[in-house]
Amino acid sequence: MPKDNGIGASSKRREDVRFLTGAGRYTDDINIHGQAYAHFVRSDVAHGTINGIDASAAEAMPGVLKVFTATDFEGVGGIPCGWQVTDRHGEPMQEPKHPVLAEGKVRHVGDPIAVVVAESLGQARDAAEALEIDISELPAVMDMKDALTEGAAKVHDDLTSNLCYDWGFVEENREAVDDAINGAHHVTTLELRNNRLVANPMEPRVAVGDYSAADDEHTLYTTSQNPHVIRLLMGAFVLGIPEHKLRVVAPDVGGGFGAKIYHYAEEAFCTFAAKALRRPVKWTSSRSEAFMSDAHGRDHVTKIELAMDEQGKFLAIRTDTHANMGAYLSTFAPSIPTWLHGTLMAGNYTTPLIYVNVKAVFTNTVPVDAYRGAGRPEATFQLERVVDKAAREMGIDPIELRRRNFITEFPYATPVAVEYDTGDYNATMDKLLEISDHSGFEVRAAESKANGKLRGFGIAHYIEACGIAPSNLVGQLGARAGLYESATVRVNATGSISVFTGSHSHGQGHETTFAQVVAEMIGIDEGQVDIVHGDTSKTPMGMGTYGSRSLAVGGSAMVRATEKIINKARKIAAHLMEAAEADIELKDGQFTVAGTDKSVAWGDVTLAAYVPHNYPLEDIEPGLEETAFYDPANFTYPSGAYGCEVEVDPETGKVKVLGFAAADDFGNVVNPMIVEGQVQGGLAQGIGQALLENCAYDQDGQLISASYMDYAMPRADDLPMFTVDHSCVTPCTHNPLGVKGCGEAGAIGSPPALVNAVIDALQRGGHDVKHIDMPLSPDRVWTAMNG
Amino acid sequence: MYNFEFEKPGSVADAVAALGAEDAQALGGGQTLIPTLKQRLNQPSKLVSLSGIADMKGVSASGGMITIGGATTHATVAAEASAYPALAATAAHIGDPAVRNRGTIGGSLANNDPAACYPAALLGSGGSVKTDNRDIDADEYFQGMFSTALEEGEIITGVTFNIPEKANYQKFVQPASRFALVGVFVAKHADGVRVAITGASEDGVFRWSEAETALSSNFSAAALDGISVSADGMITDLHGTGAYRAHLLGILTKRAVAAAA
Amino acid sequence: MNKVSMTVNGKAVSGEVEGRTLLSSFLRDDINLTGTHVGCDTSQCGACVVHVDGEAVKSCTMLAAEADGAEVKTIEGMANADGSLSVIQQAFQDHHGLQCGFCTPGMVMSAAALLKENPQPSEQEVRTYLEGNICRCTGYHNIVKAIMAASGQDVSVIAAE
């Protein structure tokens, strides 16, 4: 019998009721009496010098309160970067200023130059057209390799070049890797591009700033995955507002996928302008604006080499990557191509020597930062593509080649500085072959052939590092933040519980799963537990939700706080039953004295805590509320085997995804329904990257894919039903729930599986195509087949 | 959007009068016009909605022809143009269901988007565009991307299609916009075959005369073997090169011939 | 300014709107029905789908003035009279057909329009019908499942997990 309550139950999501009835409260649903509307005037050229801005006509337009430009932000800090990477030579990265509004130069299409605030949005937009902005266009820096050549135009005049950093990892291995590659039996080489993507949560970003002069308090309502991080970055580094005077609220948030982690200029602007104008100020992004102002993802150009011996044992891996930073450093941008990418280059394999070189480059494009998976999809894509290519070159079955190189003993320390605690990669591979009906593939392939179609099957086996931690380690690696999580468990007098978590839910269902965990620990109904998140005035300082960390880190904090609650409650129960504390057991919401029929209910204990008439006041305080901060000992390492089956129409090059199967090891699972949903959503984004999505610029820096007319979002009819399984379980060894994180896996493992499947189909059809860069549009596939 | 006046007349005559105002513009279903206005690419002083004119709605067939009112939605054509199944099927795949409930045939033809479906259907079928003051032959109507024979303020009140013996429309979608990356409408009439291509050419919808000649003497996919269109003048964009579009229109034409019913 | 009167979720409402006011803005800003969402500006995402005179339309691509005299139904009017979730809404919850919830109002409104037109759609028919509704969270798997379940079909056989 599946459980219907607590850990392991597919509890229906409580948040759904409000979302299904139109009662959700998203940031754009918030309207404060007297609010004014901000319209951002953005650069329509990629690179240029601002000669002057004349706002006088615009300020005279109806309804206009003020036009803001960079001069209004003198004395205000730039948008900070939260991670400093040290390069191969021990030098810190080049870190340009990122002003709230462009100072002197514009550096990408969409770079904000001025903001018109007016009584209505229509008036603000009308007035924006009366703004006179004189810009001299400069040559756009677009291609990363060109950007690094001598004499290239510079995105930032005050930096020595367009190179942010040249990172080597592990630098000490460099020569050993070169030697191993030079002496190997066979080296497979692959050059590829990991296409630039736009995260595209369906809710565009919104910010509403409010200021109360009476108590000098600022409030920012914003579409954020981590309100405390915004409060810290914006308060301390940009606006100089002490945290006790700044409240950041992220209410219902309509998806994030990374793009809503970062601190953006619009948040700082609305907070600043609300005080300047003594009016609430609201900004709502249009989708078109989102394409040129939300941080983008991926955009790596890589050459990877894999050296093998005669049996196909992996001897060494060498990679050379150019990673696009865009025009400025977004909050976590420097960490993505380095610590979230280089550390994963071992994958699931025992490769003893690895060297990763990453050159991060400034270009006249929108800043690039984490997007679902963040660095790990880039690592997995290179590795799983090169392994597939190697299998073909070596004449070894790609599944067999992977198995020959799988890590089988744990813990396993990779040559790229991480230690995998658990895993069973053969088990997930076996499970995949079972659930994808791999043995029936040849029959299906023959049917396709009879219909004039080419069928292919592709596999990828991924590993990811989630729940990024511990704080002291990431500090050494350059993080300017801690990466713990917090929880306060407040038990009310009648036994109901409010949990205040530093994690943030924007689709993940924390309100349901977190309640399941606490309810299970105490043995009460889930309905007794409420989860509160997203408001810095309510929750303890927390780091928010990204990197598949919420349950592994935030859930662990909640477990620790609940353990403290139970320990105290046990003391109270012991007192009430006049028994020794050591003899008290908690089960199904009842405290019992071991070996007796004496018991006291949870609600009686909690009532005693708040009505302490009969209470051990000499030993413990009244009340029942505890906070815990949890800083993990290590990352968690989910892994899994993904299989994709495609059919290619050889006449048009169109790829149809017929089936996608995912066998994941997420460790223990709290809510299977939600875990499956996370995987399905991740798969759709990964398939989107591999087949449809492409954020493209032209040579002049104009964004070509600037709306849904050209940026292909996956639709229902682009995708199949998915087959997902999480029955392979090797629990995480170092967190109390034994959980690993499931939010990004789908987006990490699916692109290489899909591309491998298409290459397989083409090869079976007699086309010697070795690689096609994503997205595998009909045009590209047909061109590769006929080129 | 810039602001504008809004008027919703009940008759063609009133609509024509309303459109006499300077910079007034007709509003069909608005499914293209409203997104364009949001981008502030267009600044009409007044929008004259045609959705309140009962005379401009509906589908009727007689004498080998089918006539659609200019303000008839794609959904209505899909549901009611049973006298011309290939036309109904074409309408059923324009945009998405909600767009089809608002978008109109008159609006689509007046806009003449180079990747729209109706231009291929009309040019492929042959027929005419009826306006408030004249009939324009399909072969005279389309004059390049977003360009038509319509005069300023002229309203499409109806569209007449010649119903062929057999026809089929093959749409290969651009994955983002879901417009046609290439669309091919093939119609076999008693007096010959017409082949109209949308989505491919920099000059907008066009008839592929070489294929028409070949198919008129032998209406089979095999008749197209060895015939191709030059990639010159074909659209190259993010979603496909000119060479790919030229190739694709050949494949789709064959498929349309094979599927024609 | 244009005077508009319409029935929204069974209630008569009226207001004064500019020519350029979209139906979605009228619903959200003028009568405070914020369940209808706006996720794009090119009429593609479908978060704004409502029913006008019984037909699904994108309320961000229709002028409020065009809806004068119409019967409009929004997500706020979809629950049963007693406030409980309707069959479609309940199926979305039962089958985890939503995550962040932002596209959900449009999905539910489109699903209702589909099932009115085609009470027992196949999986492919559901997918095709949802061409104008973009979801970034779910991968559509559970949305398709929910809609088919709401139509009374046994989804355990079509949807492997």
Side-chain angles (χ1 to χ4, degrees):
Chain A
M1 259 302 271
K3 291 181 70 174
D4 62 1
N5 193 59
I7 293 175
S10 282
S11 299
K12 289 178 195 171
R13 297 197 334 163
R14 53 182 68 183
E15 43 273 81
D16 289 359
V17 176
R18 67 177 187 272
F19 296 147
L20 281 162
T21 54
R25 192 168 189 246
Y26 298 86
T27 309
D28 193 44
D29 302 340
I30 294 169
N31 293 300
I32 303 174
H33 182 68
Q35 81 190 7
Y37 296 82
H39 173 69
F40 280 71
V41 181
R42 298 178 184 277
S43 178
D44 57 7
V45 300
H47 195 191
T49 304
I50 303 171
N51 301 317
I53 302 171
D54 182 353
S56 52
E59 290 204 305
M61 295 277 286
V64 174
L65 298 171
K66 183 171 168 59
V67 176
F68 291 82
T69 63
T71 55
D72 295 292
F73 285 83
E74 282 168 9
V76 167
I79 306 293
C81 178
W83 202 298
Q84 178 179 292
V85 164
T86 302
D87 77 4
R88 287 177 55 206
H89 312 291
E91 298 296 320
M93 65 189 188
Q94 293 207 80
E95 189 172 355
K97 185 180 180 187
H98 184 180
V100 174
L101 297 177
E103 290 174 359
K105 263 177 93 171
V106 289
R107 295 186 176 85
H108 65 86
V109 168
D111 206 359
I113 302 167
V115 189
V116 182
V117 182
E119 297 290 348
S120 76
L121 185 57
Q123 288 172 329
R125 285 198 65 174
D126 291 343
E129 295 190 5
L131 208 56
E132 288 178 30
I133 302 173
D134 177 13
I135 291 183
S136 301
E137 204 169 341
L138 295 166
V141 179
M142 298 308 296
D143 181 85
M144 286 192 275
K145 289 177 185 170
D146 291 350
L148 297 182
T149 56
E150 196 71 32
K154 284 198 290 185
V155 177
H156 294 277
D157 301 329
D158 52 335
L159 302 186
T160 59
S161 70
N162 293 314
L163 181 68
C164 177
Y165 55 73
D166 177 6
W167 185 74
F169 185 65
V170 174
E171 192 61 27
E172 295 75 52
N173 290 348
R174 188 185 177 96
E175 283 182 23
V177 169
D178 289 347
D179 291 347
I181 286 175
N182 292 337
H185 165 73
H186 183 77
V187 179
T188 295
T189 303
L190 183 62
E191 294 188 43
L192 53 86
R193 169 179 284 274
N194 202 290
N195 42 330
R196 180 183 279 240
L197 302 176
V198 183
N200 273 304
M202 292 318 298
E203 177 202 30
R205 289 189 297 118
V206 182
V208 186
D210 193 16
Y211 176 71
S212 164
D215 43 17
D216 190 31
E217 284 196 0
H218 301 258
T219 303
L220 171 67
Y221 300 89
T222 182
T223 48
S224 176
Q225 299 175 220
N226 31 235
H228 270 106
V229 174
I230 303 306
R231 187 178 71 162
L232 179 63
L233 293 176
M234 184 175 79
F237 298 100
V238 187
L239 300 178
I241 303 169
E243 283 151 291
H244 67 293
K245 293 293 182 190
L246 175 58
R247 175 185 173 204
V248 178
V249 183
D252 286 330
V253 172
F257 315 114
K260 292 176 181 168
I261 297 172
Y262 323 116
H263 175 42
Y264 287 99
E266 295 86 357
E267 295 171 321
F269 176 82
C270 289
T271 307
F272 179 88
K275 182 174 182 182
L277 298 171
R278 293 293 197 274
R279 292 274 297 271
V281 174
K282 181 174 191 173
W283 168 74
T284 301
S285 176
S286 68
R287 180 61 58 187
S288 298
E289 206 173 1
F291 272 100
M292 54 180 163
S293 66
D294 289 8
H296 293 174
R298 316 282 195 262
D299 205 351
H300 288 193
V301 174
T302 294
K303 177 182 176 187
I304 180 168
E305 294 159 285
L306 169 64
M308 288 160 284
D309 69 12
E310 290 85 344
Q311 277 72 50
K313 276 298 272 185
F314 301 163
L315 303 175
I317 290 169
R318 180 168 64 195
T319 73
D320 178 0
T321 288
H322 286 73
N324 206 330
M325 293 287 103
Y328 304 99
L329 291 177
S330 176
T331 309
F332 290 115
S335 69
I336 311 306
T338 51
W339 300 108
L340 291 176
H341 163 250
T343 51
L344 272 298
M345 281 314 302
N348 304 94
Y349 310 114
T350 55
T351 318
L353 287 164
I354 296 173
Y355 181 73
V356 177
N357 181 234
V358 178
K359 295 179 184 73
V361 185
F362 294 110
T363 60
N364 290 119
T365 62
V366 170
V368 180
D369 207 326
Y371 163 61
R372 199 171 194 167
R376 292 152 291 174
E378 294 91 321
T380 305
F381 186 72
Q382 295 163 47
L383 193 57
E384 291 301 294
R385 282 288 301 123
V386 82
V387 167
D388 231 61
K389 185 164 184 262
R392 215 169 283 287
E393 290 176 1
M394 296 285 286
I396 303 172
D397 176 80
I399 297 167
E400 169 58 22
L401 183 63
R402 287 178 169 87
R403 288 194 195 272
R404 275 185 206 176
N405 289 282
F406 272 162
I407 296 160
T408 53
E409 287 175 24
F410 297 88
Y412 178 85
T414 72
V416 274
V418 290
E419 184 176 285
Y420 303 160
D421 56 346
T422 57
D424 185 346
Y425 310 143
N426 278 303
T428 40
M429 183 66 93
D430 291 342
K431 178 56 74 177
L432 171 70
L433 299 179
E434 175 198 326
I435 63 174
S436 62
D437 187 18
H438 185 250
S439 60
F441 174 74
E442 293 298 341
V443 173
R444 298 192 293 275
E447 284 168 11
S448 292
K449 196 172 178 184
N451 294 325
K453 299 282 171 34
L454 310 176
R455 193 180 279 243
F457 184 78
I459 273 192
H461 208 292
Y462 77 90
I463 180 126
E464 63 161 321
C466 303
I468 180 168
S471 293
N472 59 3
L473 173 66
V474 298
Q476 288 169 26
L477 304 184
R480 290 164 169 163
L483 285 168
Y484 55 84
E485 197 45 270
S486 64
T488 294
V489 176
R490 177 181 298 162
V491 183
N492 301 308
T494 59
S496 68
I497 297 174
S498 301
V499 178
F500 301 82
T501 171
S503 297
H504 186 275
S505 184
H506 32 278
Q508 297 88 343
H510 297 165
E511 292 170 35
T512 302
T513 48
F514 282 19
Q516 287 177 257
V517 173
V518 173
E520 171 92 14
M521 289 178 72
I522 295 169
I524 56 176
D525 187 82
E526 286 165 33
Q528 292 273 86
V529 184
D530 214 13
I531 306 298
V532 179
H533 62 97
D535 185 341
T536 60
S537 70
K538 293 178 180 170
T539 69
M541 171 82 175
M543 297 309 294
T545 288
Y546 41 82
S548 307
R549 72 194 303 272
S550 292
L551 191 59
V553 189
S556 296
M558 196 175 59
V559 169
R560 292 286 183 248
T562 306
E563 285 168 355
K564 293 184 191 179
I565 292 284
I566 291 170
N567 286 341
K568 185 172 178 183
R570 187 182 277 119
K571 286 185 172 55
I572 302 168
H575 177 88
L576 292 176
M577 293 188 282
E578 298 175 335
E581 190 191 328
D583 294 335
I584 304 296
E585 292 173 350
L586 171 60
K587 191 165 182 263
D588 296 335
Q590 293 283 323
F591 290 94
T592 53
V593 180
T596 75
D597 59 359
K598 279 212 279 195
S599 76
V600 57
W602 168 252
D604 294 331
V605 172
T606 62
L607 189 63
Y610 290 97
V611 187
H613 297 161
N614 175 17
Y615 195 85
L617 285 167
E618 60 282 6
D619 294 329
I620 51 175
E621 297 169 6
L624 204 48
E625 175 168 331
E626 298 288 352
T627 295
F629 286 77
Y630 180 82
D631 203 291
N634 191 356
F635 294 85
T636 69
Y637 298 95
S639 62
Y642 284 13
C644 179
E645 197 159 319
V646 299
E647 204 173 61
V648 178
D649 179 344
E651 289 185 334
T652 64
K654 186 165 173 67
V655 176
K656 186 170 172 55
V657 181
L658 298 175
F660 206 108
D664 291 290
D665 175 359
F666 293 133
N668 295 330
V669 164
V670 170
N671 184 318
M673 175 191 83
I674 287 178
V675 165
E676 287 158 15
Q678 289 292 306
V679 175
Q680 291 157 0
L683 292 178
Q685 290 185 7
I687 293 170
Q689 169 168 29
L691 212 52
L692 298 163
E693 298 178 39
N694 190 25
C695 177
Y697 284 91
D698 70 11
Q699 288 179 333
D700 299 326
Q702 290 297 321
L703 184 59
I704 305 171
S705 53
S707 78
Y708 290 154
M709 294 296 281
D710 284 299
Y711 190 90
M713 293 285 279
R715 319 276 176 112
D717 61 359
D718 291 316
L719 299 167
M721 283 293 182
F722 302 117
T723 305
V724 305
D725 178 279
H726 45 81
S727 65
C728 298
V729 174
T730 62
C732 171
T733 59
H734 58 78
N735 67 43
L737 291 165
V739 296
K740 293 185 176 179
C742 66
E744 296 165 292
I748 293 171
S750 52
L754 192 152
V755 177
N756 289 345
V758 172
I759 299 296
D760 184 53
L762 298 183
Q763 291 275 348
R764 285 166 175 273
H767 300 275
D768 190 22
V769 175
K770 296 189 170 65
H771 180 71
I772 306 173
D773 270 331
M774 301 185 289
L776 272 54
S777 63
D779 172 41
R780 289 186 182 191
V781 173
W782 180 81
T783 302
M785 290 170 71
N786 294 282
Chain B
M1 277 191 274
Y2 298 104
N3 202 11
F4 45 77
E5 286 178 45
F6 174 82
E7 207 171 319
K8 191 170 176 177
S11 71
V12 172
D14 288 350
V16 170
L19 284 165
E22 196 176 355
D23 293 328
Q25 202 173 334
L27 173 66
Q31 301 303 286
T32 300
L33 180 58
I34 291 174
T36 308
L37 294 173
K38 286 183 192 176
Q39 302 295 328
R40 295 195 166 213
L41 297 173
N42 196 340
Q43 190 170 8
S45 63
K46 179 194 278 188
L47 284 193
V48 180
S49 169
L50 306 178
S51 67
I53 305 173
D55 290 351
M56 279 178 55
K57 293 181 181 179
V59 178
S60 62
S62 68
M65 293 193 286
I66 188 167
T67 298
I68 317 279
T72 308
T73 63
H74 310 325
T76 300
V77 175
E80 296 180 11
S82 51
Y84 190 180
L87 179 64
T90 302
H93 291 94
I94 299 172
D96 59 59
V99 166
R100 291 195 287 275
N101 283 334
R102 294 289 308 160
T104 64
I105 190 168
S108 172
L109 289 172
N111 189 45
N112 191 22
D113 187 296
C117 299
Y118 270 138
L122 180 59
L123 191 61
S125 304
S128 62
V129 172
K130 187 175 172 54
T131 76
D132 51 282
N133 67 15
R134 60 178 171 150
D135 282 354
I136 309 171
D137 189 89
D139 286 318
E140 311 297 320
Y141 178 79
F142 300 102
Q143 302 194 345
M145 270 193 190
F146 298 110
S147 177
T148 70
L150 291 177
E151 302 288 339
E152 191 128 326
E154 197 172 1
I155 300 170
I156 298 178
T157 56
V159 187
T160 299
F161 295 79
N162 299 328
I163 302 176
E165 293 169 358
K166 285 180 170 184
N168 183 261
Y169 179 59
Q170 292 284 319
K171 178 182 182 181
F172 194 91
V173 299
Q174 193 261 54
S177 68
R178 300 295 184 112
F179 274 70
L181 184 75
V182 175
V184 177
F185 198 100
V186 170
K188 182 179 185 299
H189 295 273
D191 59 350
V193 175
R194 294 171 69 105
V195 178
I197 315 282
T198 188
S201 168
E202 289 169 351
D203 294 328
V205 67
F206 70 98
R207 285 175 65 182
W208 185 14
S209 50
E210 211 181 341
E212 291 182 350
T213 307
L215 291 169
S216 293
S217 56
N218 174 15
F219 192 72
S220 75
L224 296 165
D225 287 344
I227 298 176
S228 63
V229 168
S230 162
D232 293 342
M234 294 290 125
I235 297 167
T236 289
D237 64 12
L238 190 58
H239 308 285
T241 60
Y244 180 66
R245 281 184 164 87
H247 163 76
L248 197 57
L249 72 86
I251 296 292
L252 296 178
T253 305
K254 286 186 177 184
R255 291 183 181 181
V257 170
Chain C
M1 298 294 274
N2 300 72
K3 279 204 158 120
V4 294
S5 302
M6 61 189 92
T7 307
V8 180
N9 300 329
K11 277 191 211 156
V13 299
S14 58
E16 286 225 332
V17 297
E18 288 185 325
R20 63 178 163 181
T21 303
L22 298 167
L23 178 57
S24 54
S25 315
F26 179 74
L27 295 170
R28 289 181 54 80
D29 303 333
D30 291 28
I31 61 172
N32 205 28
L33 293 178
T34 55
T36 297
H37 295 155
V38 178
C40 79
D41 44 16
T42 49
S43 197
Q44 277 154 323
C45 83
C48 67
V49 169
V50 301
H51 296 177
V52 175
D53 292 331
E55 291 185 334
V57 304
K58 292 185 163 170
S59 64
C60 82
T61 314
M62 179 171 180
L63 300 177
E66 282 274 43
D68 185 37
E71 293 258 358
V72 177
K73 193 166 190 178
T74 72
I75 189 68
E76 287 92 344
M78 290 301 282
N80 297 325
D82 65 356
S84 62
L85 297 182
S86 65
V87 170
I88 294 171
Q89 290 168 318
Q90 188 60 56
F92 269 73
Q93 187 187 30
D94 290 348
H95 296 279
H96 190 27
L98 64 153
Q99 291 182 23
C100 82
F102 196 80
C103 78
T104 307
M107 285 289 176
V108 170
M109 300 312 289
S110 282
L114 166 62
L115 295 184
K116 191 174 125 193
E117 192 177 294
N118 182 356
Q120 295 265 301
S122 67
E123 181 204 330
Q124 195 50 51
E125 286 170 339
V126 175
R127 289 184 182 276
T128 302
Y129 194 88
L130 293 180
E131 185 171 8
N133 290 83
I134 301 176
C135 170
R136 192 56 153 169
C137 294
T138 64
Y140 303 98
H141 181 110
N142 286 337
I143 292 175
V144 174
K145 221 170 133 178
I147 294 172
M148 296 186 72
S151 76
Q153 301 184 69
D154 177 6
V155 294
S156 61
V157 290
I158 57 119
E161 279 172 40

